[in-house]
Amino acid sequence: MLNVLLVTFPFFALVLAGYLAARRKMLPLEAIPGLNGFVLFFALPCMLFRFGSTTPIAQLLDASVFGVYLLCGLVMVAVTLAVTLNERIRWNDGAMGALVAAFPNAGFMGVPLLAALLGPNAVATVMAAILVDMVLTSSLCIALSRLDGAQGQGVQAMLDAGRKALSGVLTNPMAWSILLGAVASAVEFRFPVPVEKTVWLLADAASPVALFTIGAVLARSQMQANHPMPLSDYVPVALMKLFLHPVLVLGVGMGAMQLGVPLQPAALTVMVLIACLPSASNVSLLAERFGADNGRIARIILVSTAASFLSFSAAVNLLT
């Protein structure tokens, strides 16, 4: 366990550093979008492209990983909605809560953390999970969030939201960097040396800046979400993310292997650890964009991130 903590501590320490920098106003809140933009449009796409282009194409396109992970995501969305929908938490807030329960922070945190723990071969499974979450799980939850529309308009509103979600995916550089990396791997493409060095430098910056930005985003969300809220509105969802999601992935994955699905044990281990990650911080931005209770989503992300330092390290210790 101590050896695992020695690996995970720097990653969570960078998140804490970003959180404290924003809370103590050493980092102006107005600068956070700039950091986020650098990670999203420059550093992280370069890192994902590097991993994708240097990973065998068969590992990137593992249908068993896509199928098992997608099924677990759909179950998490359904269970979270069934547990949380009530007179106060309607479809908009419930769907965003379901998304934050099923969508781990695999992009900003999972890629560098799991690569450090398990080696670069783990990243192919992480990238498959990122594609499922960005393209399918997010689109489904955004569409469900529109069901609060007037009767007779709910379905149309849901379809419109689904189209907007897919449009957002098409403009997301993370998805394109993974796909382009897979193509580069398939055709064995390499950049000219000066260009490759530039891309690799940006890739090296992704991990520290992304983790620091997560902390800053969490601090900003907490500072802006100052209305009171019962613990029952957000703590159960955070616990479902950290405990129910990985148990579900482990159970479904083992069941699939028993049924003959060609899922590799190493890939299942990576999938379970992905599910052990805290909630994705970008769901807070989606909640704000679609008019959901961003204060609730921010609290779920904050609780899951703080608690995952111990829960994720314990899961790594158990599984490896």
Side-chain angles (χ1 to χ4, degrees):
M1 182 66 175
L2 179 60
N3 291 332
V4 173
L5 287 173
L6 289 175
V7 176
T8 59
F9 176 82
F11 291 84
F12 286 92
L14 282 173
V15 175
L16 179 61
Y19 179 86
L20 293 176
R23 288 291 298 185
R24 296 180 179 275
K25 299 183 180 179
M26 292 183 284
L27 176 71
L29 297 185
E30 295 80 10
I32 295 175
L35 279 177
N36 202 50
F38 171 76
V39 174
L40 182 62
F41 292 102
F42 294 92
L44 193 57
C46 288
M47 183 176 70
L48 292 174
F49 179 86
R50 180 171 67 181
F51 279 121
S53 63
T54 56
T55 301
I57 189 67
Q59 294 182 27
L60 292 171
L61 301 178
D62 190 334
S64 58
V65 170
F66 278 97
V68 170
Y69 189 78
L70 174 59
L71 176 60
C72 293
L74 296 177
V75 172
M76 280 299 299
V77 169
V79 170
T80 307
L81 285 171
V83 170
T84 58
L85 285 177
N86 55 43
E87 292 183 357
R88 289 183 301 106
I89 300 176
R90 306 306 301 162
W91 279 105
N92 195 13
D93 294 332
M96 289 296 125
L99 179 58
V100 87
F103 195 162
N105 207 333
F108 279 29
M109 183 177 287
V111 172
L113 183 52
L114 291 173
L117 286 167
L118 304 176
N121 287 338
V123 178
T125 303
V126 181
M127 290 194 288
I130 291 172
L131 286 175
V132 170
D133 286 328
M134 286 195 309
V135 177
L136 300 172
T137 310
S138 295
S139 298
L140 171 65
C141 288
I142 290 172
L144 290 174
S145 72
R146 303 297 89 192
L147 288 179
D148 284 327
Q151 187 173 5
Q153 298 177 353
V155 174
Q156 184 60 44
M158 185 172 66
L159 293 174
D160 290 342
R163 283 193 290 269
K164 290 179 181 178
L166 290 175
S167 175
V169 169
L170 293 176
T171 58
N172 190 313
M174 289 173 58
W176 284 108
S177 61
I178 294 173
L179 294 174
L180 290 174
V183 172
S185 173
V187 301
E188 298 182 355
F189 170 81
R190 294 289 298 272
F191 284 120
V193 173
V195 177
E196 184 176 83
K197 288 184 176 180
T198 303
V199 173
W200 270 215
L201 279 173
L202 283 169
D204 290 337
S207 177
V209 180
L211 294 167
F212 188 89
T213 303
I214 289 172
V217 169
L218 290 175
R220 182 186 62 181
S221 299
Q222 186 185 42
M223 293 163 69
Q224 294 175 347
N226 53 12
H227 58 286
M229 183 178 298
L231 293 174
S232 59
D233 276 6
Y234 59 94
V235 171
V237 178
L239 295 178
M240 290 169 66
K241 174 69 208 71
L242 294 180
F243 298 103
L244 177 60
H245 194 193
V247 169
L248 177 65
V249 172
L250 179 62
V252 172
M254 292 180 66
M257 291 169 65
Q258 290 291 325
L259 293 173
V261 174
L263 179 65
Q264 297 299 314
L268 178 58
T269 298
V270 176
M271 291 167 64
V272 174
L273 292 178
I274 293 169
C276 290
L277 291 168
S279 302
S281 55
N282 64 310
V283 180
S284 177
L285 302 177
L286 284 175
E288 183 176 350
R289 176 182 175 187
F290 287 96
D293 187 349
N294 191 36
R296 174 174 176 259
I297 301 304
R299 285 174 169 89
I300 295 170
I301 297 170
L302 183 62
V303 170
S304 68
T305 303
S308 66
F309 173 60
L310 292 177
S311 65
F312 180 82
S313 299
V316 174
N317 188 57
L318 288 172
L319 293 171
T320 60

